[in-house]
Amino acid sequence: MVYIGIDLGGTNIAAGIVNEEGKILVKESIPTGATRGYEEIVADMAHLSLSLLEKIGMTIDDVSSVGIGSPGSVDHKNGILIYSNNLTFRFAPLRTEMQKYINKNVYLENDANCATIAESIAGAGKGISDMVAITLGTGVGGGIIINQRIYRGFNGAGGELGHIVTHSKGVKCTCGRLGCFEAYASATALIRRTREEMSIHPESMITELCGGNPDKINAKTTFDAMHAGDPVGVALVDEFINELAEGISNIINTFMPEVLIIGGGVSKEGDTLLAPLRKLVTERTYGPEGVMKTRIEVAKMGNDAGIVGAAFICKVD
Ligand SMILES: [Zn+2]
């Protein structure tokens, strides 16, 4: 049997046929046309999925279930997309609409949870009972797996790990609170701090790396400056890793997962990030001497996480 995984984004819809091992057999993406109604968008998702099956000589009879991942708020119990920043409709019954075309079980989950599910079933958390994944991007996304099930909280809104507070009088977060973890440890936060320091220290290598244009700074700029020995870059990366360690230590002290997985562009720094992070987190987390500590690993699924995670919602539901 195979699984259909659909990653519904504001720009593109990516769909794939995924086998039992988490391998994508075929995939394709089409523009979302985000201003359209949900009926048209679901029709496109269904037709795309059916055409992919045909391409590999399969039919709907080979499909076990369908999963849809979406940014925003979802009612996973009823298969309703409540709200997404990038789409115009609200309270869209994606499950029942999809079942008009593909009469199988249809699962719906938010994209941060899908990224976590992909790691849990086929990635860095494969075979692990208790794990947490965070994604460092525009914000800090989070997902929690307990006993190989996704943890959603009683109302489905659990696992918002980016919005635990690490600085009670800190900078304002997009959620309205002060000092959330994601306001200090997202890629966006690193870019904000890099711009601030570049204006204070125009002699820093960062000025040269971005051609003097602060709008061209990305998270890699800061790490590049650090690797080249620029003191401002070194200090910024130290600060960032310290902030990351603070939030991760809170998460580990709460859940004590076997593995904590870090995804997103920044995680590509690998050991540059992981070695100092592991040291700081070990100092800040509980557990008697000699007892196993949570492992911190980098996400493995990369760009496939959206499709594979959606396809495998059924396995952790
Ligand atoms: Zn927040």
Side-chain angles (χ1 to χ4, degrees):
M1 296 299 270
V2 292
Y3 303 81
I4 296 175
I6 302 168
D7 185 1
L8 169 59
T11 311
N12 288 305
I13 296 164
I17 310 298
V18 179
N19 73 7
E20 199 69 51
E21 286 73 47
K23 185 166 179 277
I24 298 179
L25 303 175
V26 58
K27 65 178 174 178
E28 199 176 319
S29 78
I30 55 172
T32 306
T35 56
R36 299 183 297 161
Y38 73 86
E39 296 92 339
E40 279 184 52
I41 290 175
V42 171
D44 278 0
M45 296 196 297
H47 293 134
L48 176 59
S49 304
L50 293 169
S51 78
L52 290 176
L53 281 172
E54 206 179 306
K55 266 189 188 166
I56 53 172
M58 287 187 170
T59 70
I60 202 70
D61 294 334
D62 299 305
V63 174
S64 177
S65 63
V66 181
I68 303 169
S70 166
S73 292
V74 304
D75 169 356
H76 70 276
K77 281 186 190 144
N78 298 301
I80 292 170
L81 177 54
I82 298 172
Y83 167 86
S84 173
N85 248 338
N86 307 314
L87 301 165
T88 53
F89 47 77
R90 303 284 178 263
F91 294 97
L94 299 191
R95 173 183 297 155
T96 49
E97 191 66 22
M98 179 60 83
Q99 284 171 334
K100 291 179 185 171
Y101 304 91
I102 301 175
N103 192 21
K104 297 278 174 177
N105 284 334
V106 175
Y107 298 86
L108 181 64
E109 192 55 74
N110 79 54
D111 55 355
N113 278 352
C114 284
T116 305
I117 292 165
E119 294 300 330
S120 167
I121 303 295
K126 193 174 176 180
I128 302 289
S129 176
D130 303 310
M131 58 156 266
V132 174
I134 60 172
T135 305
L136 312 178
T138 310
V140 174
I144 301 157
I145 299 278
I146 297 176
N147 208 9
Q148 295 194 317
R149 293 282 173 269
I150 190 87
Y151 178 79
R152 301 176 170 111
F154 84 100
N155 61 0
E160 287 292 340
L161 300 173
H163 300 285
I164 56 175
V165 168
T166 51
H167 294 258
S168 64
K169 295 186 177 73
V171 298
K172 194 161 188 180
C173 179
T174 52
C175 75
R177 291 181 85 193
L178 299 182
C180 285
F181 180 35
E182 79 169 32
Y184 290 87
S186 59
T188 310
L190 178 59
I191 292 165
R192 183 193 74 235
R193 284 289 300 126
T194 304
R195 286 178 182 152
E196 286 170 5
E197 291 300 310
M198 179 179 132
S199 72
I200 299 167
H201 303 283
E203 78 287 359
S204 152
M205 187 181 287
I206 291 161
T207 308
E208 189 188 320
L209 287 171
C210 69
N213 180 0
D215 291 340
K216 293 208 168 135
I217 292 173
N218 57 34
K220 195 169 172 295
T221 313
T222 323
F223 278 91
D224 286 348
M226 182 276 278
H227 285 300
D230 176 60
V232 177
V234 169
L236 279 165
V237 169
D238 273 359
E239 176 187 300
F240 178 74
I241 292 175
N242 183 63
E243 295 293 349
L244 196 52
E246 199 73 341
I248 287 175
S249 299
N250 291 345
I251 294 166
I252 289 178
N253 282 334
T254 308
F255 296 102
M256 204 50 73
E258 186 173 342
V259 181
L260 184 136
I261 296 165
I262 303 175
V266 176
S267 69
K268 294 199 181 91
E269 291 294 330
D271 279 345
T272 303
L273 185 74
L274 290 184
L277 183 66
R278 284 173 177 144
K279 185 169 177 291
L280 291 172
V281 169
T282 301
E283 288 164 10
R284 294 174 193 179
T285 49
Y286 277 83
E289 201 74 28
V291 164
M292 283 211 311
K293 289 276 198 170
T294 299
R295 285 187 287 123
I296 301 178
E297 304 288 350
V298 166
K300 278 186 183 167
M301 298 301 288
N303 294 334
D304 290 344
I307 289 173
V308 175
F312 283 165
I313 302 165
C314 55
K315 292 188 181 281
V316 298
D317 195 43

